[in-house]
Amino acid sequence: MSSTTVMSSATLIEQLAGIEPGSALAQALSTRAEIMRLSQASHDAVLVPKEPGGLSHGLRAALAARMARQNADLALVAHYEACLARTGEVEAVPLSEPERQRIAAILRHADMLTLSPRDATRADIETLKAAGVEEADIVRLAELAAFVNYQIRVLAGLKVLRGTR
């Protein structure tokens, strides 16, 4: 794709930022088409991986919606709530005490990674492990938080450039 080619289909970020096809901002983004494509691929990889491990697709979408809500990005909240609805995991189910503790630890950690990531320490990882979160799922959680918070910042920047924030 040349640097002057306008992307034929908008990525999620472009859609949520309200980038009008053919606008100056759309054309500027077309020069970064690979970044936008990789951002879309990252979205799909962290939200709906083939092997979700101990973080179901529904839990991932719920966590992403929570992170978006904590950053007051209502369009992104709506997107992730729609993702959650598509998983069919929207009904509350009774949890065993160990599973309740595991989910509570995941929520606390996701909140910290979103609201105060500099506060994360090795002790936080140990707390997750003590609550029954597998190491691979800790990595998956960190990937999800990193991506969603990146996405929120990109959207905020694009909205400022568009003059709508």
Side-chain angles (χ1 to χ4, degrees):
M1 179 179 290
S2 76
S3 63
T4 57
T5 303
V6 176
M7 295 173 53
S8 60
S9 62
T11 64
L12 175 64
I13 287 175
E14 293 167 305
Q15 292 170 16
L16 292 176
I19 308 297
E20 295 292 328
S23 68
L25 189 50
Q27 291 182 9
L29 282 176
S30 72
T31 66
R32 301 290 187 259
E34 185 65 8
I35 292 171
M36 300 308 290
R37 187 191 66 75
L38 291 172
S39 294
Q40 185 67 45
S42 295
H43 169 276
D44 298 344
V46 299
L47 265 296
V48 287
K50 289 180 182 169
E51 300 294 333
L55 300 179
S56 72
H57 292 163
L59 179 56
R60 290 166 187 257
L63 289 167
R66 184 179 175 104
M67 292 173 203
R69 190 172 295 105
Q70 289 167 332
N71 282 281
D73 191 321
L74 300 181
L76 200 54
V77 170
H79 167 72
Y80 285 122
E81 287 179 346
C83 290
L84 175 59
R86 283 192 299 273
T87 68
E89 298 178 40
V90 294
E91 303 228 0
V93 294
L95 299 175
S96 66
E97 183 57 23
E99 185 61 11
R100 192 192 64 71
Q101 289 180 10
R102 179 180 167 278
I103 297 296
I106 288 170
L107 287 172
R108 278 191 303 274
H109 197 72
D111 289 352
M112 181 183 57
L113 293 177
T114 299
L115 301 172
S116 55
R118 291 183 181 172
D119 295 342
T121 67
R122 181 75 194 159
D124 297 306
I125 302 302
E126 296 305 322
T127 299
L128 284 166
K129 288 180 180 178
V133 182
E134 299 290 329
E135 249 181 74
D137 292 332
I138 294 170
V139 172
R140 291 177 180 111
L141 178 58
E143 291 170 340
L144 177 68
F147 173 74
V148 173
N149 285 290
Y150 154 80
Q151 186 182 43
I152 289 166
R153 282 157 182 76
V154 170
L155 283 168
L158 290 173
K159 289 175 184 175
V160 167
L161 289 172
R162 223 184 99 227
T164 60
R165 181 103 197 202

